[in-house]
């Protein structure tokens, strides 16, 4: 039996990056790519941001890791900043998005159990959501392709159509603990929840004493022009998962909660060996230094609008290929009339442009938030050239 040393779970492509320069990646063979994928919405400061590099270097020289057996001056500082910037009163640091969602799920269950209601453990989640690849987070998604081979799933999730408020309301039962939702679905195809849906979930949660959990792992951390996407809706969650952009490329995440929602998360209830270590806190602090700034956020909004209007103009030239543009800020999706994956591969292989395919035939356009107008011009040139010489595969009959 032969298997590759890297467990073969990814269909890796021929691009093999070895260096990053701002918004470009350089491959092993010297090829240069414009990176409008950002490591899947992670490298929000690009690839060689001096502030982020400096913070990691200085912290690496000082102290990398000690475990959560000891006091954490570094964690206290970053948690305080996040609390001051958001709805939350308390923060648990993780190493990834899935772990942040896991903590959110546990926090919601523990809330009900701490008030003596052992029967409320079920979360209502939404079709085509993505919450991660752990057992709990695949169980939280209705996507069969992620379940295959891993049954049985964890109990306690009920799937309802995304943006269907009546469906969410009808799904509430005696076991319901809360809702878990991405305000803007990322992997699902850059699909924004409507204001009425998000406001309605908040109202239902209040009415029934349920926890409203936002998964902002992809849409959070300035990507949409607000520090967190919930700010667009004027609605706050009880619990929120954040990751991806929060470390700018350093693996980290966090679960944020109100004091009320976190009442079940007392001493010894949860933990992580690495979570919140000094190195991660330094990276997270350096990212916040840049993005938690009104002028920076306004720039993200302005650049998002410029890019969006260019994209809207562009798709008018290719009505046979593209259907529409959607998203917010620099979290944009180009919905195609056929599978987006081959087009993403074509842009990558033939035009040196990196984007990411998503569900619902969507090309994700999720550049570093530090792009400038020259990057937008370069992107439009490469994209236009890619559309011009793209040949749809004949459909097998
Ligand atoms: C990427 C993602 C996750 C999982 O994050 P990992 O760091 O890969 O574990 C969870 N939720 C959403 C919305 C995501 O986009």
């Amino acid at each position: 039996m032969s298997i590759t040393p890297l467990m073969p779970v990814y269909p890796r492509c021929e691009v093999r990056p070895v260096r990053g320069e701002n918004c470009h990646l350089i491959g092993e063979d010297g090829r240069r790519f414009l990176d409008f994928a950002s490591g899947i919405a992670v490298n929000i400061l690009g690839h060689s941001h001096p502030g982020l590099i400096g913070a990691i270097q200085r912290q690496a020289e000082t102290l990398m890791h000690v475990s959560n057996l000891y006091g954490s001056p570094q964690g206290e500082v970053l948690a305080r900043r996040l609390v001051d910037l958001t709805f939350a009163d308390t923060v648990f640091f993780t190493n990834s998005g899935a772990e942040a969602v896991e903590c959110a799920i546990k926090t919601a269950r523990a809330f009900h159990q701490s008030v003596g209601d052992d029967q409320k453990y079920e979360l209502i989640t939404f079709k085509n959501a993505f919450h991660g690849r752990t057992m709990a987070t695949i169980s939280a998604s209705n996507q069969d392709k992620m379940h295959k081979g891993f049954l049985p799933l964890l109990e306690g999730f009920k799937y309802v159509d995304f943006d269907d408020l009546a469906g969410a309301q009808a799904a509430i039962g005696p076991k319901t603990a809360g809702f878990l939702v991405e305000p803007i679905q990322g992997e699902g195809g850059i699909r924004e929840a409507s204001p009425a849906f998000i406001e309605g979930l908040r109202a239902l949660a209040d009415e029934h004493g349920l926890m409203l959990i936002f998964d902002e792992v992809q849409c959070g951390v300035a990507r949409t022009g607000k520090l967190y996407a919930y700010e667009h809706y004027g609605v706050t969650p009880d619990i929120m998962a954040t990751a991806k952009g929060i470390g700018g490329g350093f693996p980290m995440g966090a679960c944020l909660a109100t004091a009320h929602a976190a009442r079940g998360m007392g001493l010894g209830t949860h933990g992580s060996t690495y979570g919140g270590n000094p190195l991660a806190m330094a990276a997270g602090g350096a990212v916040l230094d840049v993005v938690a700034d009104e002028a920076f956020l306004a720039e993200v909004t302005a650049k998002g609008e410029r890019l969006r209007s260019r994209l809207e103009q562009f798709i008018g030239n290719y009505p046979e290929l593209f259907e529409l543009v959607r998203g917010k800020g620099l979290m944009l999706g180009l919905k195609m009339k056929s599978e987006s994956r081959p087009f993403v591969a074509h842009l990558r292989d033939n035009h040196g442009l990196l984007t990411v395919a998503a569900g619902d035939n969507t090309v994700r356009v999720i550049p570093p938030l530090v792009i400038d107008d020259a990057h937008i011009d370069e992107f439009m040139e490469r994209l236009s050239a890619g559309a011009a010489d793209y040949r749809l595969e004949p459909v097998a009959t």
Side-chain angles (χ1 to χ4, degrees):
M1 168 154 182
S2 99
I3 189 164
T4 48
L6 269 181
M7 196 181 273
V9 296
Y10 293 110
R12 291 174 190 275
C13 69
E14 308 272 284
V15 179
R16 298 163 63 83
V18 291
R19 204 169 69 249
E21 287 173 7
N22 194 11
C23 301
H24 289 85
L25 283 178
I26 293 97
E28 210 172 32
D29 57 2
R31 271 193 80 189
R32 251 180 109 77
F33 297 86
L34 179 66
D35 186 9
F36 270 42
S38 311
I40 318 184
V42 168
N43 303 99
I44 59 177
L45 305 184
H47 292 284
S48 46
H49 191 275
L52 179 58
I53 294 170
I56 292 173
Q57 278 176 340
R58 282 191 301 279
Q59 190 60 50
E61 285 164 0
T62 311
L63 183 67
M64 272 199 252
H65 173 83
V66 295
S67 88
N68 290 303
L69 294 172
Y70 310 106
S72 176
Q74 307 85 0
E76 286 167 8
V77 170
L78 191 61
R80 162 57 60 192
R81 289 181 75 183
L82 288 169
V83 163
D84 288 345
L85 289 163
T86 67
F87 73 97
D89 301 310
T90 190
V91 180
F92 181 87
F93 288 111
T94 69
N95 312 289
S96 68
E99 283 174 75
V101 179
E102 284 271 350
C103 180
I105 295 167
K106 287 179 73 174
T107 302
R109 287 190 174 190
F111 168 81
H112 292 289
Q113 296 189 21
S114 79
V115 299
D117 204 339
D118 291 355
Q119 292 315 304
K120 288 197 191 324
Y121 59 84
E122 192 171 78
L123 289 174
I124 295 171
T125 66
F126 298 91
K127 291 184 186 166
N128 301 314
F130 182 79
H131 298 297
R133 295 292 204 140
T134 62
M135 282 308 306
T137 55
I138 62 172
S139 302
S141 171
N142 75 317
Q143 301 198 48
D144 290 341
K145 62 176 193 277
M146 297 198 299
H147 298 162
K148 196 166 173 282
F150 302 112
L151 303 178
L153 298 179
L154 190 72
E155 230 188 292
F157 298 94
K158 204 175 200 174
Y159 320 125
V160 169
D161 282 340
F162 183 64
D163 219 35
D164 174 6
L165 186 61
Q169 179 164 21
I172 297 172
K175 292 185 201 159
T176 307
F179 303 105
L180 167 60
V181 64
E182 294 162 89
I184 305 176
Q185 285 193 339
E187 306 294 320
I190 315 290
R191 294 171 64 215
E192 281 177 68
S194 63
F197 177 66
I198 295 292
E199 288 161 19
L201 290 182
R202 179 69 272 171
L204 286 173
D206 291 342
E207 184 187 332
H208 297 271
L210 308 177
M211 291 286 111
L212 179 59
I213 308 170
F214 287 163
D215 180 347
E216 291 222 20
V217 169
Q218 192 157 156
C219 62
V221 200
R223 170 119 333 249
T224 65
K226 300 275 189 196
L227 190 60
Y228 284 98
Y230 71 77
E231 298 167 43
H232 293 289
Y233 295 92
V235 162
T236 58
D238 302 293
I239 305 168
M240 181 178 77
T242 177
K244 289 203 166 90
I246 198 172
F250 194 91
M252 71 174 286
C255 174
L256 281 64
T258 64
H260 177 68
R263 58 168 287 156
M265 301 302 281
L267 272 185
T269 54
H270 195 48
S272 165
T273 299
Y274 292 125
N277 87 8
L279 200 51
M281 298 301 93
V287 169
L288 273 192
D289 286 346
V290 177
V291 305
D293 173 69
E294 284 310 320
F296 182 88
L297 292 165
E299 268 294 295
V300 172
T301 301
K303 288 186 275 197
E305 281 165 8
R306 287 204 288 283
L307 182 54
R308 191 194 181 113
S309 72
R310 299 274 298 266
L311 283 170
E312 271 161 3
Q313 234 175 353
F314 156 81
I315 65 169
N317 301 329
Y318 297 95
E320 70 288 6
L321 286 182
F322 304 104
E323 192 171 317
L324 51 85
V325 182
R326 61 187 169 197
K328 262 204 163 67
L330 288 171
M331 183 176 189
L332 295 172
L334 203 49
K335 182 167 155 62
M336 301 190 68
K337 292 197 169 156
S338 57
E339 253 288 348
S340 59
R341 222 159 287 275
F343 185 64
V344 165
H346 168 70
L347 292 175
R348 178 189 73 215
D349 297 339
N350 303 320
H351 295 278
L353 176 59
L354 305 180
T355 57
V356 196
D360 198 28
N361 296 343
T362 304
V363 179
R364 260 180 290 182
V365 180
I366 42 177
L369 306 182
V370 296
I371 52 166
D372 58 25
D373 283 338
H375 294 118
I376 294 180
D377 290 343
E378 183 183 344
F379 171 76
M380 291 310 306
E381 278 162 30
R382 291 180 189 257
L383 178 67
S384 303
D389 69 356
Y390 185 55
R391 296 290 166 263
L392 280 171
E393 297 280 321
V395 180
T397 46

